[in-house]
Amino acid sequence: MGTSRTDERKTTYREALREALREAMRSDDRVFLMGEDVGRYGGCFGVSLGLLEEFGPERVRDTPLSESAFVGAGIGAALAGMRPIVEIMTVNFSLLALDQILNNAATLLHMSGGQLPVPLVIRMTTGAGRQLAAQHSHSLEGWYAHIPGIRVIAPATLEDARHMLAPALADPDPVLIFEHGVLYNASGEIGPPAASADLDHAAVRRSGTDISLITYGGSLPKVLMAADELAVDGISAEVVDLRTLRPLDGETIAASVTRTHRAVVVDEAWRTGSLAAEVSARIAEGSFYDLDAPVERVCGAECPMPYARRLEEAALPQPSDVVAAAHRAVD
Amino acid sequence: MSPAHETRTRTTAKTSEAPKAAKTPGASKRVRKSDGGSAPDRSGAAHRRDLLHAMLRIRRFEERCVELYSAAKIRGFVHLYIGEEAVAVGVNEALTPDDAVVSTYREHGHALARGIPAEAVMAEMYGRTTGCSGGRGGSMHLFDAGRRFYGGNAIVAGGIPLAAGLALADRMRGQSRVTCCFFGDGAFAEGEFHETANLAALWRLPLLFACENNRYAMGTALERHQAQTDLALRAASYGMVSWAVDGMDAEAVERAAHRAAEGIRAGAGPHFLELRTYRFRAHSMYDPDRYRDKAEIERWKAQDPIERLTDRMRERGELDDEELAAVESRIDDEVGDAVEAAERAPEEPAGSLLRHVTSAPTEVG
Ligand SMILES: Cc1ncc(C[n+]2csc(CCOP(=O)(O)OP(=O)(O)O)c2C)c(N)n1
């Protein structure tokens, strides 16, 4: 990832997502894509470019700026047997549809005593790193991971971008897909789906024996860089990519900590009340006696995301922060 | 009905949005028959008797709920529909079992009119296994997937976008079904209504907006929560056919709903009915109702939809005391049986708590 050779077999995260969408719409005519500017504009991050031409405006639907209405409409269409994929431009805007996601999508199955599953997929961008300031940069997927009744996934690799959509569509319950904004241009050669394309398991992206670096989404490339640096220092770091934020794969986390006896949790979101807090708590609950050091957390600074580059960098977890945390745990 | 509010339907249908001819085979497999399915002669005495029966059934069911609530048999928030029965009953006459209904937390009337058995509704209020939501919903969350009854939403206006989605699915598959969405005048102030009205009119969705204007959002009078209190007028600005209807007259509601449903089935896009009605009781069982004066309530009670229809039928010689007593006794039996069955029905075991959180089988823990 991150390199830019123009090898023909190379693809990008953006193209991998598009390929997954194309495959989904070709293979099931109940599938349609709906959201602001997904059609003529090609998606505000270019993910759906060209799909309108192939599938037409019925199935690649530009919506008004009405997050609540079109997310709710996705829920209703799913109830009626369609397989909608709703795109929300960024997680910040999804707050205007939070009522529909939480009070309808996540609860209808339970409130109806099992009668109304909502087979809906919602995709949205998350995260910082592009100097978009506070209203376009936050990482709120941890809030969604708080909610029972939905599944929350965060593809971090090209393979996951390409292969997680199909099982998400096959899931009878609502699935939220968080695409980190800095990943869209990531490019590389696409391999077979990592592990299986099932949505229940975290993936070990790099094996190691001295410490577990646990992360997901846009932080994965940074954590892999940190692991490279640590290797130079003679520390063997295992990198766990959570992939699915709800339900969390506690077993893979515990198994890794059992091997390494140390853990650093890396999450771009705010530390207080974060997903990183949840992962740390699980390690404390289930793997306390395996630990040789306190769990370390590397999270985003507790401030609204600033615009200025230097400040934004300071607000985000950087590989050097991860390296420092790992040293604190190991030394 | 005030035709002044009727706006021209849009004539500039986008070609990409043209209704498709083909129906999806088997799409209505799961739909069972409901009470609303057949009303061939809508002007005769027999039909009026059906309307009366349907309204009385809702009224008596809810009166029984009041007793049961006082006896602490049912709990939670309970919102009564008493006074508004003509709306649910009249609108339901325009719907077929294939159509869909999206409702609010004041939905006993909608649910019963839709044909959900009184027993299943009552059992739900009791929180029993046999309740129409398996005891997880209660009074505010009644569901029946087979009857295409999609709640039961306690977030004001929360069901409106969802209704647009049901209608969208029908639109995309070329089915001539109607989705009917009930909501109150209070909900009319929420963005979700306005977003959905725009979306539905833009996409010409087969959606019936059934706005129950009972003049109050909890304790706030219409004049104090709407800048323009003529709701049909405002809805018309979205390019929808919009009518204001006397919501205390079941036959008038039925006629309007019928015309609207016909328009929707013909592809004219969403229609809006402002059903002008009144609730005779407090907002919920917890509400001391201090915000309305007695004279106002009495003025509206003089418009009681059940009495109005009864009077009309008596004037025409279509109803005598004996017949009315027979109707009442049938309803008594039905409601009595429903209560008895609910009393006997098993409670959900605590071990089933995590069922239906996701579709995956429950982990026992
Ligand atoms: C989003 C939201 N805000 C506030 C409430 C609290 N609340 C419940 S009912 C109600 C009034 C709704 O009035 P209306 O839509 O006219 O329906 P009615 O009760 O008259 O049938 C309010 C404010 C709520 N349930 N949901």
Side-chain angles (χ1 to χ4, degrees), chain A residues 99, chain B residues 79-81 84 104-106 140 153-158 183-188 190 192 212-220 225 279 283:
Chain A
D99 166 55
Chain B
H79 306 84
L80 300 178
Y81 199 57
E84 307 187 31
T104 65
Y105 47 84
R106 194 185 299 288
M140 299 195 289
N153 207 308
I155 305 298
V156 170
F183 57 98
D185 50 291
F188 198 102
E190 291 279 2
E192 294 202 296
E212 306 183 307
N213 178 3
N214 62 13
R215 308 193 56 79
Y216 285 89
M218 283 183 64
T220 305
H225 71 77
R279 62 172 158 75
H283 166 72

Side-chain angles (χ1 to χ4, degrees), chain B residues 23-41:
Chain B
K23 284 205 174 197
T24 309
S28 59
K29 265 203 304 266
R30 295 176 60 204
V31 177
R32 278 172 257 144
K33 276 267 174 253
S34 88
D35 287 349
S38 53
D41 176 15

Side-chain angles (χ1 to χ4, degrees), chain A residues 100 148 182 259:
Chain A
Q100 289 297 325
V182 300
R259 276 191 295 276

Side-chain angles (χ1 to χ4, degrees), chain A residues 45-132:
Chain A
F45 295 97
V47 170
S48 50
L49 200 65
L51 297 183
L52 174 68
E53 288 68 23
E54 181 170 353
F55 298 103
E58 278 276 304
R59 295 184 69 199
V60 182
R61 287 191 165 249
D62 284 320
T63 64
L65 308 190
S66 306
E67 283 78 5
S68 190
F70 70 72
V71 171
I75 296 167
L79 286 176
M82 303 295 281
R83 288 291 178 276
I85 302 170
V86 175
E87 177 179 306
I88 302 176
M89 286 182 174
T90 84
V91 66
N92 295 70
F93 314 153
S94 78
L95 301 186
L96 280 77
L98 191 54
D99 166 55
Q100 289 297 325
I101 297 171
L102 170 53
N103 285 319
N104 278 338
T107 52
L108 277 167
L109 180 73
H110 190 77
M111 287 195 304
S112 68
Q115 294 179 83
L116 297 180
V118 180
L120 171 69
V121 170
I122 302 174
R123 299 172 37 238
M124 61 185 112
T125 310
T126 187
R130 292 163 300 147
Q131 286 193 268
L132 299 177

Side-chain angles (χ1 to χ4, degrees), chain B residues 58-77:
Chain B
I58 295 169
R59 175 88 42 109
R60 299 289 176 255
F61 181 93
E62 291 206 314
E63 286 167 349
R64 196 63 199 273
C65 289
V66 176
E67 291 167 22
L68 294 165
Y69 193 86
S70 309
K73 294 286 190 182
I74 56 182
R75 300 270 78 191
F77 278 142

Side-chain angles (χ1 to χ4, degrees), chain B residues 258-318:
Chain B
H258 238 279
R259 249 178 90 191
E262 265 170 25
I264 293 167
R265 286 185 217 285
H271 283 49
F272 180 95
L273 296 182
E274 179 194 336
L275 303 148
R276 295 185 173 166
T277 181
Y278 201 77
R279 62 172 158 75
F280 295 168
R281 302 277 185 143
H283 166 72
S284 76
M285 301 301 292
Y286 286 110
D287 168 16
D289 202 354
R290 281 189 288 252
Y291 45 84
R292 309 191 293 187
D293 63 53
K294 295 276 172 302
E296 179 185 290
I297 299 175
E298 290 313 313
R299 263 200 318 280
W300 279 92
K301 278 190 174 169
Q303 299 288 314
D304 187 325
I306 294 178
E307 280 169 26
R308 272 176 69 177
L309 187 60
T310 310
D311 291 349
R312 192 176 297 160
M313 293 177 72
R314 284 190 197 279
E315 273 164 33
R316 292 166 177 250
E318 293 171 355

